[in-house]
């Protein structure tokens, strides 16, 4: 499956951004979807994930209550809605797909190209 992430940009602290990840092919519903982020000089960290059906979601502690992950299988798209953004959320955000949801980046099989999110103070 090929993934295309979009929706990044520049926003002031306290603002909101929505990211999308669109998958090619007709097997999107077979994959759990994860969102990760990587700041300069840092490792790629887990942000959020959603199971194949979309019924269950998981979040990294620092984004709980601010970010919402979801998916629409009929559109082959996963979403990450980010509210109350903070400067420390600045990073390149990646979407990824795996047969079973995981918080571990190295366990994912397919990756989008990444989209930059910059939060100014």
């Amino acid at each position: 499956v090929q993934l295309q992430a979009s929706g990044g940009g520049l926003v002031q602290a306290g603002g909101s951004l929505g990211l999308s990840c669109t998958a090619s092919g007709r097997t999107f519903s077979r994959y759990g979807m994860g969102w990760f982020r990587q700041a300069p000089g840092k490792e790629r960290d887990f942000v959020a994930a959603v199971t194949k059906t979309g019924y269950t979601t998981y979040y990294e502690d620092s984004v709980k209550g601010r970010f919402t992950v979801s998916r629409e299988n009929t559109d082959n798209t996963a979403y990450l809605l980010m509210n109350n953004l903070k400067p420390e959320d600045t990073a390149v955000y990646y979407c990824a797909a795996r047969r079973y949801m995981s918080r571990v980046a190295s366990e994912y099989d397919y990756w989008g190209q990444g989209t930059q999110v910059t939060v100014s103070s």
Side-chain angles (χ1 to χ4, degrees):
V1 62
Q2 293 183 322
L3 304 174
Q4 180 75 34
S6 61
L10 173 65
V11 65
Q12 289 188 331
S16 299
L17 277 177
L19 305 183
S20 298
C21 178
T22 301
S24 63
R26 295 177 288 180
T27 60
F28 179 68
S29 62
R30 297 181 185 178
Y31 294 93
M33 295 298 297
W35 287 93
F36 293 80
R37 63 187 178 187
Q38 188 167 19
K42 296 189 176 181
E43 295 184 348
R44 192 169 296 188
D45 293 329
F46 173 76
V47 176
V50 58
T51 54
K52 301 174 189 179
T53 61
Y55 293 156
T56 305
T57 56
Y58 300 87
Y59 297 93
E60 190 269 328
D61 287 345
S62 70
V63 307
K64 284 181 181 177
R66 300 189 298 122
F67 290 13
T68 302
V69 61
S70 62
R71 66 190 296 158
E72 181 54 66
N73 285 345
T74 58
D75 292 336
N76 282 6
T77 303
Y79 302 95
L80 184 67
L81 175 61
M82 304 181 292
N83 294 320
N84 190 22
L85 282 160
K86 304 176 180 180
E88 52 264 40
D89 294 319
T90 295
V92 176
Y93 282 70
Y94 298 89
C95 59
R98 184 178 184 266
R99 290 299 295 267
Y100 298 99
M101 198 284 308
S102 170
R103 297 172 182 258
V104 181
S106 61
E107 294 181 351
Y108 279 78
D109 301 307
Y110 305 98
W111 289 85
Q113 83 286 6
T115 184
Q116 177 70 47
V117 171
T118 303
V119 184
S120 63
S121 58

